[in-house]
Amino acid sequence: MKVLVIGGGGREHAIIQKLKENARITELFALPGNYGMADAAQCVNIAATDIEGITQWARQNNPDFAVVTPDDPLALGCVDALEAIGIPCFGPNKAAAQIEASKVFAKNLMKKYHIPTADYAVFEDVESAKEYIRANKRYPVVIKADGLALGKGVSIACDEAQAMDALHAAMEQKVFGESGARVVIEEYLEGPEVSVLAFTDSKTLVPMVSSMDHKRALDGDEGPNTGGMGTVAPNPYYTPQAAQRCMEEIFLPTMKAMNLEGCPFKGCLYFGLMLTKDGPKVIEYNCRFGDPETQVVLPLLESDLLDIFMAVRNETLREDMVRFSDKSACCVVKASAGYPKKYESGFPIHASRLPANCAVFYAGVKADESGAAVTAGGRVLGITAIGEDLKAAVQSAYQAAECIRFENEYMRTDIGKKALEVLK
Ligand code: AMP
Ligand code: GLY
């Protein structure tokens, strides 16, 4: 089989590594992929958002199956376009991708179907939003741009001045472009955060092992929000009781709500959850695998990923198709110093052989003129280790991180620390 994976980050590298275990796959393409994964898949130099270019390539190369991973192509209707020319895909269509592409859509869905989430109000006009802020004197308050914003559209304002700044930036300065034309202002929730990815074919929903992201740039959860500096799985806060409540109160109701709205969701549905004292609540939905959650979740998957992808596409998913190891995993991200703000790139990456049970997933990597791997992005790579327990996984991931170096690198040194404290 010829399989195409659309996307080019660490998440896609993890998907490709897992797909490689399937002997039926004879050719794997990554579009655009990145140089770091070039020995695992053939990279196709087309942007993941170039839907026209992608369908043209697909017509010429006829892949048997496509996996569409990043939010932008999903929101642009990449799955609709490929299915229309007869290429079966894993991933939601454009209508279902709204669950991530519009926070207003997601919030209204949750309200209509009584799915627990933070209280909120929606504004299209900046004056009414400001008036609401002045009247509502509870802080912190959360302000979210409606549309996709590279994970940067959420502001947590601790006082009126910060709230006004966030509204001004989104709605008047338009720092997120049209994504900030509407905003959601919502209640601040407290509690541990859990990420749960789930496979669903719109009839059956099977959650994957839970995980914990580390979104802030610096140790101790300090510094600005990033795309994610590391992850561990499973997440120790996510007890079997919490899992059962999430399944009954959030996961299944969401799947059913999407069916009732006429936009059945097929693909990987990401639940960003907050375990509050009043029970689990949804912080956000994503219409795709999380990055770097995928880098700890898929290495623990024991079942065949292509079989699951095809079952989701064909609406034949069964719970027994998805089996996870009871081991633990830790992924440590190495980034360019300065990320998520300004950073330099172009530094050579020196890698030596990794210990057993470890893998490196490349993200911001390209070839220089001589063909050597150099840094080319904020998050450069992730190093994942699997261990018998979380402590062993964390230890191995940091040991393995010593095997790959580049100038100007930085990583958090406390990935998994909080999780280990819970387990004590
Ligand atoms: P997002 O970009 O939607 O993933 O949000 C980024 C982060 O903002 C989340 O991971 C949470 O830590 C935080 N956040 C978002 N919404 C809320 C909320 N209602 N209450 C507290 N924290 C929130
Ligand atoms: N790690 C969070 C995300 O993928 O959105």
Side-chain angles (χ1 to χ4, degrees):
M1 279 182 74
K2 253 189 195 179
V3 177
L4 168 68
V5 176
I6 294 174
R11 165 184 57 196
E12 286 75 14
H13 196 182
I15 289 171
I16 283 166
Q17 288 299 9
K18 196 74 207 170
L19 287 174
K20 282 194 88 69
E21 294 172 10
N22 182 304
R24 278 178 294 149
I25 300 180
T26 47
E27 279 183 277
L28 252 175
F29 295 91
L31 183 156
N34 69 59
Y35 183 69
M37 60 172 87
D39 53 2
Q42 298 175 57
C43 297
V44 179
N45 191 15
I46 296 174
T49 46
D50 178 3
I51 309 299
E52 186 58 41
I54 293 171
T55 42
Q56 212 168 30
W57 182 90
R59 270 202 201 91
Q60 282 159 7
N61 293 275
N62 247 324
D64 298 292
F65 197 80
V67 182
V68 186
T69 332
D71 50 2
D72 289 317
L74 289 166
L76 290 168
C78 188
V79 166
D80 313 56
L82 287 172
E83 288 275 356
I85 59 166
I87 293 162
C89 292
F90 175 85
N93 63 15
K94 185 175 180 173
Q98 282 184 95
I99 199 164
E100 172 170 6
S102 168
K103 295 215 190 291
V104 173
F105 174 90
K107 294 298 288 191
N108 291 346
L109 185 88
M110 288 186 269
K111 188 176 190 177
K112 182 167 172 188
Y113 295 94
H114 308 289
I115 297 165
T117 187
D119 285 338
Y120 73 103
V122 177
F123 297 93
E124 294 189 11
D125 133 72
V126 69
E127 282 317 314
S128 334
K130 287 183 175 172
E131 213 166 287
Y132 178 87
I133 288 291
R134 277 185 220 108
N136 170 56
K137 301 209 177 302
R138 270 182 301 173
Y139 293 98
V141 68
V142 184
I143 296 168
K144 300 185 170 182
D146 174 41
L148 297 177
L150 298 170
K152 294 182 185 137
V154 175
S155 307
I156 297 177
C158 295
D159 54 37
E160 187 173 310
Q162 287 182 3
M164 294 300 173
D165 282 350
L167 289 175
H168 176 64
M171 302 184 87
E172 292 175 325
Q173 288 182 313
K174 297 234 185 296
V175 295
F176 312 117
E178 276 315 295
S179 288
R182 286 197 292 186
V183 299
V184 172
I185 300 184
E186 74 178 27
E187 170 201 15
Y188 179 78
L189 298 177
E190 279 176 281
E193 277 187 68
V194 180
S195 306
V196 179
L197 314 179
F199 292 113
T200 175
D201 64 356
S202 80
K203 296 176 173 148
T204 302
L205 180 144
V206 191
M208 298 178 226
V209 63
S210 63
S211 56
M212 183 193 283
D213 195 2
H214 297 65
K215 284 208 166 88
R216 300 294 203 93
L218 307 174
D219 283 6
D221 290 331
E222 303 279 346
N225 258 329
T226 69
M229 292 300 295
T231 37
V232 294
N235 183 325
Y237 287 108
Y238 194 65
T239 60
Q241 293 80 351
Q244 193 184 341
R245 279 194 72 172
C246 287
M247 191 69 177
E248 288 166 8
E249 296 171 23
I250 295 174
F251 303 165
L252 294 175
T254 301
M255 181 185 80
K256 290 176 189 158
M258 292 298 276
N259 291 338
L260 290 168
E261 289 300 298
C263 43
F265 189 99
K266 291 166 59 169
C268 172
L269 188 50
Y270 170 123
F271 297 90
L273 305 163
M274 189 83 93
L275 306 179
T276 75
K277 61 177 178 14
D278 304 320
K281 295 191 180 182
V282 178
I283 288 277
E284 62 160 349
Y285 293 118
N286 290 327
C287 65
R288 51 169 176 89
F289 284 97
D291 190 339
E293 283 88 343
T294 305
Q295 289 90 311
V296 284
V297 169
L298 287 188
L300 294 173
L301 179 68
E302 290 180 335
S303 322
D304 185 84
L305 186 59
L306 182 67
D307 288 346
I308 298 173
F309 282 168
M310 292 176 68
V312 166
R313 155 64 173 69
N314 298 329
E315 298 176 21
T316 54
L317 181 67
R318 293 189 322 266
E319 210 177 311
D320 65 353
M321 290 177 157
V322 184
R323 259 188 350 270
F324 279 90
S325 143
D326 56 12
K327 293 184 178 167
S328 297
C330 172
C331 173
V332 176
V333 169
K334 284 203 174 187
S336 303
Y339 170 76
K341 300 200 170 118
K342 236 176 86 135
Y343 57 83
E344 287 176 56
S345 46
F347 299 103
I349 299 171
H350 308 284
S352 53
R353 185 187 267 281
L354 289 180
N357 292 325
C358 295
V360 52
F361 300 120
Y362 285 103
V365 179
K366 67 171 190 186
D368 69 4
E369 303 86 59
S370 69
V374 297
T375 63
R379 288 191 293 177
V380 175
L381 51 91
I383 297 133
T384 295
I386 293 180
E388 288 302 323
D389 57 22
L390 189 58
K391 192 169 169 206
V394 170
Q395 234 166 26
S396 303
Y398 277 106
Q399 268 163 13
E402 301 291 314
C403 303
I404 302 185
R405 297 215 159 270
F406 52 91
E407 218 178 292
N408 236 23
E409 68 173 47
Y410 95 91
M411 64 178 174
R412 276 181 63 162
T413 63
D414 65 346
I415 303 301
K417 188 168 172 223
K418 215 199 259 171
L420 287 171
E421 279 162 12
V422 181
L423 290 170
K424 261 188 201 154

